[in-house]
Amino acid sequence: MKAKKHKRISWDEYFLQIAHLVSQRSTCLRRNVGAVIVKDKRMLATGYNGAPRGLAHCLETGCVRDKLKIPSGERHELCRGLHAEQNAIIQASLYGIRVKDSIIYVTNQPCIICAKMLINAGVSEIVISEGYPDKMSAQMLKEAKIKIRQVKR
C-alpha cells in the first residue's frame, strides 16, 4: 500500500499564516495586521494592531484617522492603536525575550515608525504578505540592510 503524498507548507507560509491568524484579534477599523517574531524557527512573540491595554478600542470609539480623513500611510501618530510590530516587540520586552537577529513575519510591510523600531530592536529580516504605501520605510530598511521579502499567500 502506497503512502499518500502530503505537501508540507514552508516555514515562511507557516509563520505568515500564523500572522494572519493573529491579525484576527485586531480592533482596527481600517486594516487588520498581525506580526510574529521568530528565531531559529521558534515563535518569540506575537502582536496585532489595537489600542493600548485597558483602553477603549476603535471598534468602540470609531476611527480617529477616518474622522480626520488621513490617507493610509500618513500621520501614523494620529491613531489610538499600536501597530502589530510594536505590540510584538513590546510583548517580547515584557517577558524579557531578546529579539536581536530574529525574523518578523507581518501581514503588511511595516510603516516608517515600525521600521525604525525593528531596526533598533535588531530584527534582521522582515517577511510580509502585502505591501504598504510607505516608501520612506522601504528606503530606511534597505539602508539598514534589513532584508525584506514578500511571500504571497
Side-chain angles (χ1 to χ4, degrees), residues 7-57:
K7 183 189 177 296
R8 294 175 75 188
I9 62 174
S10 70
W11 285 109
D12 285 343
E13 292 168 319
Y14 175 72
F15 290 120
L16 278 173
Q17 284 188 31
I18 293 171
H20 280 279
L21 180 63
V22 170
S23 78
Q24 292 178 32
R25 290 279 308 151
S26 169
T27 57
C28 180
L29 297 170
R30 283 185 158 197
R31 181 188 314 263
N32 297 338
V33 180
V36 180
I37 300 176
V38 174
K39 189 169 186 179
D40 299 327
K41 296 185 176 80
R42 300 290 175 249
M43 288 186 290
L44 303 178
T46 64
Y48 54 87
N49 53 335
R53 181 182 315 190
L55 301 184
H57 292 283

Side-chain angles (χ1 to χ4, degrees), residues 95-111:
Y95 294 98
I97 299 169
R98 181 181 165 146
V99 299
K100 187 175 187 316
D101 300 321
S102 64
I103 299 171
I104 189 166
Y105 290 83
V106 192
T107 55
N108 295 86
Q109 176 192 315
C111 72

Side-chain angles (χ1 to χ4, degrees), residues 72-91:
S72 184
E74 296 178 17
R75 304 293 314 266
H76 303 288
E77 76 281 6
L78 297 176
C79 179
R80 290 187 60 79
L82 292 155
H83 288 186
E85 304 92 325
Q86 295 167 351
N87 271 324
I89 292 168
I90 291 166
Q91 289 305 307

